[in-house]
Amino acid sequence: MEIIISNNANKPIYEQITSQIKAMIMSGELQTGEAIPSMRALAKSIHVSVITVQKAYEDLQRDGFVETTVGRGSFVAAQNKEFYQEEQQRLAEEHLQTAAEIARVSNIPLAKLIELLTMFYQEDE
């Protein structure tokens, strides 16, 4: 499992870990029941504090992505992909609402906003 941490990112390190593991689970790279590295092993491999990894694992467990058993470790949970997609859609809606408000106040036409969104959406295809 490869986690890439950026010190220049706007997100705290634990959130970078959380979002990357969630993405691996959603893409199928990590399968239900598969073990994920221990907190110590992951902390050592990405050169961060064990407490940082612990916070990420707690968030993953709270959100239903991993299950942790004392003495056995942490495993990918049989989670609900629809829940994650709903969470991501809500986040996108917040950003789109902000963009729409900025465009409206700045007299940027809706067509231009749609054109920009389409361009950003298709950028990595």
Side-chain angles (χ1 to χ4, degrees):
M1 182 170 81
E2 186 178 354
I3 302 286
I4 299 167
I5 300 301
S6 170
N7 291 325
N8 300 329
N10 294 340
K11 279 190 197 175
I13 293 172
Y14 77 91
E15 284 184 14
Q16 293 178 52
I17 295 168
T18 302
S19 63
Q20 289 180 52
I21 292 176
K22 282 181 179 181
M24 288 181 213
I25 293 170
M26 294 303 296
S27 72
E29 186 178 334
L30 291 174
Q31 299 289 318
T32 298
E34 189 174 337
I36 60 174
S38 70
M39 288 182 230
R40 283 192 188 133
L42 182 58
K44 185 176 180 181
S45 73
I46 60 176
H47 308 289
V48 298
S49 161
V50 172
I51 294 169
T52 300
V53 175
Q54 179 182 12
K55 172 77 172 121
Y57 278 28
E58 286 171 354
D59 286 358
L60 289 165
Q61 189 168 351
R62 180 200 66 225
D63 294 344
F65 283 87
V66 299
E67 296 170 341
T68 302
T69 307
V70 176
R72 286 194 61 230
S74 297
F75 301 86
V76 176
Q79 46 74 45
N80 184 344
K81 288 187 179 184
E82 288 79 29
F83 170 78
Y84 180 72
Q85 287 178 319
E86 183 68 30
E87 178 184 313
Q88 293 302 90
Q89 181 177 327
R90 183 190 56 74
L91 185 61
E93 287 171 0
E94 287 177 15
H95 290 289
L96 288 170
Q97 182 175 10
T98 301
E101 289 169 4
I102 292 168
R104 197 172 26 255
V105 168
S106 304
N107 294 320
I108 298 170
L110 178 59
K112 183 64 176 175
L113 204 56
I114 292 169
E115 177 186 326
L116 288 168
L117 178 60
T118 302
M119 180 184 73
F120 290 134
Y121 190 86
Q122 296 173 343
E123 200 169 66
D124 291 333
E125 288 183 354

